Amino acid sequence: MTAGDWALLMTAATAAGWVDAVVGGGGLILLPALFLVAPQLTPQVALATNKLTAICGTGAAVLTFARRIPLRWSLLGPAALVAAVAAAAGAAAVSLIDREVFIPIVMVVLVAVAVFVTTRPKLGAGGTRRPSTLRLITVVITAAAVIGFYDGILGPGTGTFIIIVFAAMLGSEFVTSAAMAKVLNFGSNLGALVLFAVGGHVWWTLGAALAVCNVAGSVLGSRMALARGAGFVRVVLLVVVIAMVIRLGIEQFG
């Protein structure tokens, strides 16, 4: 690759880390850049290399959030393990899913998410009654299983979906939801990465190099989310959701 190729990928990895830390969806930035620079890559290698890069950035975001936000590790730890197993199952089942049908469904869900967030200005602002322990466990574990499987089988917007679920069903503030989502997202990234690695699909040197930039972007994004609060996360979330719909639409119909 040329110096220009490296500059493009490093910039994309940094931007992907920033977006992922705030609301998720960084893969929509880095994956197209990988295919642009190295069009000979198979989808498996591109996805696997992206997972290697993303898991480093997600781990950095978890550490940054955890320093400022109390997290229930007794629940989130097992939930991350559930997400890892579900993502591995999703990655293994990817050949069984008809993407021509699946992607339009995801696009409809993303549009519904955008409408839902827009029409509920108090969503993610916090201040609602704390959920019962049973509700908390049910929502977190179910999200880990269902969205983790989705992350393994397709992936775009995994973190975004988790944030919306936590904000809507648990009444969590957006920044707290983002912090919790990063823990589950780390698990789903790990599960998919392990399966891809077993299959020999990971480009380790490239992924490791891009991970440095991804971590830098992730730390910056998580710090901005902590400093600017729920309103900032809300705006970024809506922008990213719209971008995901456009990107998936181009992939499906362009």
Side-chain angles (χ1 to χ4, degrees):
M1 293 189 294
T2 66
D5 292 337
W6 275 106
L8 172 63
L9 288 178
M10 292 170 69
T11 301
T14 304
W18 188 92
V19 170
D20 247 344
V22 180
V23 294
L28 291 174
I29 298 174
L30 185 54
L31 279 172
L34 283 169
F35 284 122
L36 178 64
V37 169
Q40 74 278 10
L41 291 180
T42 65
Q44 291 91 341
V45 172
L47 287 169
T49 305
N50 177 65
K51 287 298 181 188
L52 173 59
T53 302
I55 196 172
C56 296
T58 303
V62 169
L63 293 175
T64 303
F65 279 124
R67 292 191 184 102
R68 295 276 299 277
I69 296 177
L71 297 174
R72 293 187 58 165
W73 291 106
S74 59
L75 172 59
L76 292 175
L81 181 59
V82 170
V85 174
V94 69
S95 62
L96 304 178
I97 298 296
D98 185 356
R99 290 173 63 89
E100 297 297 315
V101 175
F102 199 51
I103 289 179
I105 294 174
V106 175
M107 291 174 63
V108 171
V109 173
L110 286 169
V111 171
V113 165
V115 173
F116 184 71
V117 173
T118 302
T119 57
R120 291 176 176 253
K122 293 185 178 180
L123 181 71
T128 59
R129 184 191 304 178
R130 294 183 61 182
S132 66
T133 300
L134 178 60
R135 181 180 180 86
L136 178 65
I137 293 173
T138 301
V139 170
V140 171
I141 296 299
T142 301
V146 175
I147 303 177
F149 183 82
Y150 166 75
D151 192 21
I153 208 164
L154 189 63
T158 298
T160 306
F161 288 139
I162 299 174
I163 290 171
I164 292 298
V165 168
F166 288 167
M169 302 192 70
L170 300 178
S172 301
E173 194 259 352
F174 269 142
V175 178
T176 301
S177 297
M180 295 169 64
K182 287 300 99 184
V183 179
L184 269 60
N185 206 182
F186 181 87
S188 64
N189 281 336
L190 179 62
L193 177 60
V194 168
L195 196 75
F196 282 131
V198 170
H201 297 300
V202 183
W203 188 350
W204 294 101
T205 51
L206 177 61
L210 296 180
V212 176
C213 299
N214 194 265
V215 166
S218 184
V219 171
L220 177 62
S222 52
R223 286 180 176 176
M224 289 182 69
L226 286 166
R228 300 193 179 187
F232 170 72
V233 175
R234 179 188 183 88
V235 171
V236 176
L237 187 148
L238 284 170
V239 171
V240 170
V241 166
I242 293 170
M244 282 191 285
V245 172
I246 294 172
R247 178 70 183 86
L248 290 173
I250 292 173
E251 179 181 334
Q252 182 74 4
F253 307 111

